[in-house]
Amino acid sequence: MGALPVYRWRLAPDGYATRRQLRARGLRPGGQDVAAQLERPRRRRGPLVAYLYRVELAKPVRPMTPARWAALAAANAARRVCPACRRDAGYVIPAALGTCVPCAYPDPHGPEGSTHEQCRSASSGP
């Protein structure tokens, strides 16, 4: 296998596309190897590199099946459940906190002032 052809930014010939460009057209690389490389020069650093694929060898994107939709919905729902109080927070739990905001930052005046029912009951304990 020889070296990949390298094109400068915005000078790639027709028939080549990046992964994002293929996806915008409803296509995927489909197992083909990288056909060319696009380089965008930068000051004081190495060039930005994008890999190009042949459009005519690309395959259509596989459609989502009902099972895949269900798995995606379950995964997104799991990201919203607080591991401390087991409550659906209504938003994705931040990775930096690891818990919902009321569990991460409890009320400094004690659990009596907390508006978060599960956290209040969990902190009172046996």
Side-chain angles (χ1 to χ4, degrees):
M1 177 175 155
L4 291 175
V6 178
Y7 300 104
R8 288 188 53 94
W9 188 252
R10 298 185 187 268
L11 296 177
D14 291 336
Y16 290 102
T18 63
R19 283 183 180 266
R20 286 189 179 190
Q21 292 168 337
L22 288 174
R23 186 64 182 208
R25 296 180 187 183
L27 300 171
R28 61 186 170 97
Q32 64 173 304
D33 291 331
V34 175
Q37 189 171 316
L38 190 68
E39 288 189 354
R40 178 179 176 207
R42 298 189 296 178
R43 297 180 190 191
R44 298 188 189 106
R45 289 192 271 176
L48 288 175
V49 176
Y51 298 112
L52 301 173
Y53 300 90
R54 300 295 307 243
V55 175
E56 66 269 6
L57 299 177
K59 296 179 180 176
V61 174
R62 295 183 197 132
M64 289 285 283
T65 64
R68 291 177 78 189
W69 279 114
L72 184 62
N76 284 332
R79 294 176 66 199
R80 297 187 341 219
V81 175
C82 175
C85 63
R86 307 302 303 161
R87 177 178 164 264
D88 184 352
Y91 53 87
V92 175
I93 303 294
L97 296 180
T99 61
C100 63
V101 174
C103 289
Y105 301 109
D107 188 15
H109 303 293
E112 297 81 28
S114 177
T115 59
H116 194 244
E117 289 295 325
Q118 284 81 10
C119 292
R120 189 174 347 151
S121 63
S123 63
S124 59

